[in-house]
Amino acid sequence: MIDSSLGLPARKRLLSVWRYGSYLLFLYVMVLKLWYLHSHLHARYIDMNRLDFVIAIGSLMAASFWTLWLSVRGQIIALIVLDVLLTALIYSDLIYYRYFQDFITLPVLLQAGQVGELGDSIKSLLHWTDLRFAADWAVMLIGFPTLKGISRRIALRTVKTSPLSEGLSPSLVPSLSAVRSAAPRMERIENIGPLGQKRSLRFRQRVVRASNGLAVLVLGLGLSIGPIKHYTSSWAQGLLTGNYWSMSLYNVTGLLGFHVYDVYRFAKDHIGGDPLSAEQKQDIQDWFSQAGQSRDVRNASFGAYQGSNVIVIQTEALMNFMIGRKIGGQEVTPNLNKLRESSLYFSNYYHQTGQGRTSDADFSSNASLHPLPSGSVFTRFADHQFDVLPQILKDTGYHAFAFHAYDSSFWNRLAMYQSMGYDQFFSKKDYLIDEPLGWSLGDKSFFKQSLAKLAAEQQPFYSFMITLSSHHPYSLPEKEQTLDVGSFEGTMFGDYLEAVHYVDGAIGELVELMKAQGLWDNTILCIYGDHDNSLTGQADYEKFLGRSLTELDMHKIMNQVPLFIHLPDGKMAGTYTEAEGQLDLAPSLLHLLGISTAAKYMMGSNMFDGNPNHLVVLRTGAFTDSRLHYIPSPDGLFENGTCYSEASGEQVGIEQCRAENTEAQKRLEISDQTVTYDLIKEFEQQNGTP
Ligand code: GP9
Ligand code: MN
């Protein structure tokens, strides 16, 4: 009988080397791979900083702690499998990033087509140097047999030099070494012995493994969550909740954390079904059907521009208060002022955006629904169905294109534009950055290149262009600062005026290009601002406008953006002072094109229906109908808000606003439910419409 304690300390040491050595090696190799991925990204820092490394190590520990619960052999196999899976994840993200400047998310995976778009490009996305991702596999293939051999030799020496093997016949010793042929298998030897001893040994082994695994989990979570918390309470405040861009999330959480958060976010938004009763859904359907009927006014303007091309310019942070204004005798927006003469200019037009900023303006203008109270519809529900302008026009024979010279993944545009039915989305990678300005390409070159792309496309088209040069913090290169902003010089407000002046110049060039390209007389050109400029200092506006401002004035200034609609024949030009909002744009353009929106799930009004009192509801719960103007209080209680008369600008009794407040709240609720629970898909399936 061979004593099971034969050479036990040496064996234990050997097992520990295998167990913890392979685990540390796994962590090291995987961190290297994450670091290699990072070096390919346009992340916050060119290189990972110390905390980023801590997050990476912590999240790898949290992902792999359970392997320590297994036998040494099981653990090594599990680590190899985990290595292969994580490498596949990291490498897929890298390939996807090289093409889309984004990481693969669950909505992307579930949305047929997007990953497939890589198709022909895949070859150009694979680099020889990527083989370093598999370098550890090659080392393993060569190294494992070698290590096994070394272990075998150590095991053999242990047995041979053990005092207990003294006196054994030499023929017996090699057979012992055979039993211990692979070091990981040496665990089995510990199971040889009396039953009680065997059980207690196994029990002790399990307790040690369980507690080691748990300790690694706790440590891993601490190492990853601690720095993430530090980030979100310093430079990354609000980034996690706003989650407008995969890259910003990644900068906070690292790659593994990003994927965990993606799964959590998707589950939160999609699991659990909708809690609405059949009756509630019927009410929602009824509301939409009534709104559709009141929009469906067949007057002279209905279909007056049937078949025209449509170009919609969504202009970054373009607010209404500067239109027609001068500073030091110089017009801030000379080209828009000129365009105003031959266009419909809506001087009481509201942006209806929320946290989703540019993407919200895009959504409300194209889908005629309210954006969400938190986050962006683009990032949260790109896979849901909406009645949107590009798709509706495509269904009637149009071609639809989106243009924006920035990373295609920002605001999840790539996925969203695909589901909105655009034929093509021209993003930063499709432009030559020959006029670097601010975040990306200057608007002047952006328009020039966009129109050149459009020249190659078939008509009629719907083209949605998003500008960027007037984005916060509004700093322009010196040579582009052509407006003398006087005492605003050196202030952000002054920089903002300069930036808008530049964009106005770009719009002037766009108009000339359209004329030169023969588009002026067969295209509806529509220009509006996406949202405010985030500069809330009342004193600047008072100084610029040369008068003192009330709460109502400030509320209007911060929420009004200009809307210009230039019709192909220049008709209907003039200033329209009734209140309208971004939700009204899509149904109104469809009216001009002769496409009925009676059966569409849209919430906006038809600006051409002759009704001067449309209810315009803002995401905050504020509203106006051109007679009354309600500003909610921060506590959200209706009674604590303020009701104004539009005519006098004076405060009136709160009760005068009650009925419309009830309707405003109802609209926000219906819109949120429609977006969140994908009701349009359900309704259209029920009604047998596409
Ligand atoms: C970038 C642009 C800016 O693509 O949409 O977005 P914003 O910060 O205004 O939402
Ligand atoms: Mn914007």
Side-chain angles (χ1 to χ4, degrees):
M1 194 72 196
I2 300 159
D3 185 352
S4 70
S5 68
L6 187 73
L8 199 57
R11 284 202 302 275
K12 270 192 168 170
R13 267 201 308 278
L14 200 59
L15 283 173
S16 298
V17 170
W18 272 95
R19 181 178 285 286
Y20 299 107
S22 57
Y23 189 72
L24 288 176
L25 199 64
F26 164 82
L27 291 182
Y28 179 72
V29 164
M30 294 318 298
V31 167
L32 270 186
K33 292 185 186 188
L34 288 171
W35 172 73
Y36 182 57
L37 168 86
H38 185 94
S39 61
H40 279 74
L41 313 175
H42 311 111
R44 189 171 77 99
Y45 297 111
I46 306 251
D47 214 345
M48 284 167 75
N49 67 22
R50 243 180 254 157
L51 277 188
D52 293 337
F53 276 110
V54 172
I55 293 174
I57 294 168
S59 48
L60 283 167
M61 286 165 79
S64 60
F65 73 95
W66 55 273
T67 60
L68 292 164
W69 289 347
L70 307 174
S71 66
V72 173
R73 170 184 282 253
Q75 184 198 340
I76 290 171
I77 293 171
L79 287 177
I80 292 172
V81 172
L82 209 54
D83 177 333
V84 171
L85 292 177
L86 288 175
T87 304
L89 176 78
I90 297 169
Y91 193 55
S92 314
D93 274 330
L94 177 62
I95 298 294
Y96 192 78
Y97 181 87
R98 279 182 183 148
Y99 193 77
F100 294 121
Q101 296 81 53
D102 200 0
F103 292 137
I104 299 175
T105 57
L106 268 186
V108 163
L109 278 180
L110 298 175
Q111 196 166 343
Q114 189 160 333
V115 178
E117 248 187 62
L118 287 173
D120 298 343
S121 323
I122 199 96
K123 254 198 226 148
S124 67
L125 301 172
L126 306 174
H127 303 170
W128 279 113
T129 49
D130 295 345
L131 281 175
R132 70 183 82 175
F133 275 107
D136 58 323
W137 301 347
V139 171
M140 265 192 276
L141 280 176
I142 304 162
F144 262 136
T146 318
L147 281 173
K148 216 166 143 186
I150 294 170
S151 304
R152 209 178 278 174
R153 275 199 295 281
I154 293 172
L156 187 61
R157 204 177 320 135
T158 306
V159 173
K160 278 181 174 169
T161 56
S162 164
L164 291 172
S165 61
E166 272 171 29
L168 287 179
S169 92
S171 60
L172 218 110
V173 175
S175 76
L176 275 178
S177 71
V179 174
R180 298 166 185 127
S181 58
R185 272 189 237 144
M186 290 173 78
E187 273 178 321
R188 289 190 199 151
I189 293 165
E190 291 168 16
N191 293 334
I192 300 168
L195 196 62
Q197 201 185 337
K198 203 163 79 181
R199 278 198 187 138
S200 86
L201 203 62
R202 263 194 214 159
F203 180 72
R204 255 187 292 142
Q205 277 176 353
R206 281 187 189 148
V207 171
V208 171
R209 278 187 215 163
S211 42
N212 283 354
L214 278 180
V216 168
L217 171 66
V218 171
L219 188 63
L221 288 177
L223 289 179
S224 44
I225 294 172
I228 290 174
K229 276 226 165 305
H230 168 71
Y231 282 165
T232 51
S233 56
S234 51
W235 62 266
Q237 260 179 25
L239 273 193
L240 217 52
T241 43
N243 62 74
Y244 51 84
W245 192 21
S246 299
M247 293 318 297
S248 63
L249 273 185
Y250 164 82
N251 277 329
V252 178
T253 61
L255 190 79
L256 301 192
F258 168 81
H259 285 293
V260 171
Y261 190 79
D262 174 51
V263 172
Y264 158 76
R265 182 173 55 183
F266 188 83
K268 196 165 101 256
D269 281 343
H270 291 81
I271 291 174
D274 72 67
L276 303 175
S277 66
E279 205 183 343
Q280 281 172 304
K281 286 183 188 173
Q282 192 54 53
D283 283 350
I284 294 173
Q285 290 235 46
D286 292 346
W287 190 95
F288 277 115
S289 132
Q290 214 175 352
Q293 277 159 29
S294 62
R295 276 195 304 260
D296 200 18
V297 174
R298 309 286 172 115
N299 51 19
S301 54
F302 181 78
Y305 299 93
Q306 194 169 9
S308 298
N309 298 315
V310 180
I311 296 183
V312 172
I313 313 285
Q314 178 171 296
T315 313
E316 177 62 33
L318 179 69
M319 293 164 74
N320 190 53
F321 73 93
M322 302 151 296
I323 304 300
R325 298 269 166 190
K326 289 182 177 173
I327 184 160
Q330 201 182 347
E331 287 177 287
V332 181
T333 58
N335 293 288
L336 287 171
N337 298 346
K338 189 164 161 238
L339 185 67
R340 188 165 59 152
E341 291 163 16
S342 59
S343 306
L344 294 85
Y345 164 54
F346 290 83
S347 61
N348 206 5
Y349 190 73
Y350 287 83
H351 77 81
Q352 292 166 295
T353 62
Q355 286 181 345
R357 303 292 282 168
T358 307
S359 70
D360 280 358
D362 188 338
F363 180 72
S364 52
S365 302
N366 281 293
S368 189
L369 287 174
H370 285 282
L372 292 167
S374 68
S376 156
V377 181
F378 273 37
T379 54
R380 292 181 59 188
F381 298 110
D383 55 334
H384 285 191
Q385 191 169 316
F386 305 105
D387 282 341
V388 288
L389 206 45
Q391 187 61 57
I392 295 170
L393 288 175
K394 274 201 69 181
D395 292 343
T396 65
Y398 274 69
H399 303 270
F401 309 100
F403 302 81
H404 181 51
Y406 198 55
D407 289 347
S408 59
S409 59
F410 202 87
W411 284 127
N412 200 26
R413 284 191 177 100
L414 194 64
M416 189 63 183
Y417 286 172
Q418 196 164 41
S419 62
M420 286 169 85
Y422 285 106
D423 290 301
Q424 208 171 334
F425 169 28
F426 297 98
S427 66
K428 188 174 180 179
K429 67 178 165 54
D430 302 300
Y431 289 85
L432 182 68
I433 308 298
D434 53 2
E435 189 203 351
L437 201 159
W439 281 31
S440 172
L441 177 67
D443 289 343
K444 289 184 180 170
S445 176
F446 167 66
F447 283 141
K448 200 158 57 189
Q449 294 187 53
S450 301
L451 278 201
K453 292 176 196 307
L454 211 45
E457 301 295 347
Q458 270 180 289
Q459 299 185 18
F461 54 71
Y462 170 65
S463 291
F464 185 70
M465 301 183 183
I466 306 173
T467 73
L468 193 53
S469 297
S470 47
H471 196 283
H472 192 276
Y474 315 115
S475 39
L476 288 185
E478 197 123 346
K479 72 173 174 51
E480 296 297 351
Q481 298 180 19
T482 56
L483 186 71
D484 181 3
V485 293
S487 60
F488 288 112
E489 187 73 51
T491 66
M492 200 181 276
F493 190 85
D495 289 349
Y496 171 69
L497 295 177
E498 288 282 11
V500 168
H501 187 66
Y502 165 84
V503 177
D504 175 83
I507 290 173
E509 290 183 12
L510 168 88
V511 169
E512 292 314 312
L513 285 169
M514 281 179 68
K515 287 179 181 166
Q517 224 164 286
L519 290 173
W520 193 243
D521 300 327
N522 61 5
T523 302
I524 298 177
L525 173 66
C526 174
I527 301 172
Y528 65 87
D530 63 351
H531 50 68
D532 64 88
N533 58 9
S534 310
L535 304 178
T536 50
Q538 185 163 333
D540 286 334
Y541 296 95
E542 292 187 332
K543 190 162 123 187
F544 177 77
L545 296 170
R547 63 185 169 99
S548 62
L549 300 169
T550 63
E551 184 204 28
L552 179 62
D553 292 331
M554 265 317 273
H555 191 256
K556 286 186 175 183
I557 285 173
M558 296 312 288
N559 288 289
Q560 285 178 347
V561 291
L563 167 68
F564 301 88
I565 300 178
H566 182 272
L567 297 172
D569 54 9
K571 284 194 177 151
M572 291 168 72
T575 299
Y576 292 69
T577 56
E578 60 271 17
E580 310 284 1
Q582 287 168 339
L583 264 74
D584 308 328
L585 186 68
S588 305
L589 286 175
L590 289 169
H591 170 94
L592 294 173
L593 297 171
I595 299 165
S596 169
T597 60
K600 300 292 179 207
Y601 291 95
M602 292 180 156
M603 192 158 263
S605 309
N606 176 358
M607 299 192 277
F608 303 106
D609 67 359
N611 175 2
N613 295 112
H614 294 140
L615 181 64
V616 179
V617 181
L618 310 191
R619 187 61 257 186
T620 54
F623 61 81
T624 175
D625 68 348
S626 305
R627 287 176 296 218
L628 293 167
H629 194 116
Y630 176 76
I631 303 178
S633 81
D635 64 14
L637 288 176
F638 166 68
E639 291 77 8
N640 294 342
T642 322
C643 187
Y644 288 97
S645 152
E646 283 270 4
S648 68
E650 298 296 329
Q651 201 173 326
V652 295
I654 191 74
E655 286 309 315
Q656 292 196 39
C657 277
R658 187 178 285 279
E660 283 193 338
N661 180 65
T662 308
E663 174 61 17
Q665 290 302 321
K666 184 176 177 180
R667 288 188 188 189
L668 289 170
E669 190 186 20
I670 289 178
S671 182
D672 293 347
Q673 288 169 338
T674 304
V675 171
T676 307
Y677 304 125
D678 207 2
L679 294 184
I680 298 180
K681 189 184 203 166
E682 190 177 325
F683 293 159
E684 290 187 346
Q685 269 165 8
Q686 253 171 41
N687 304 340
T689 42

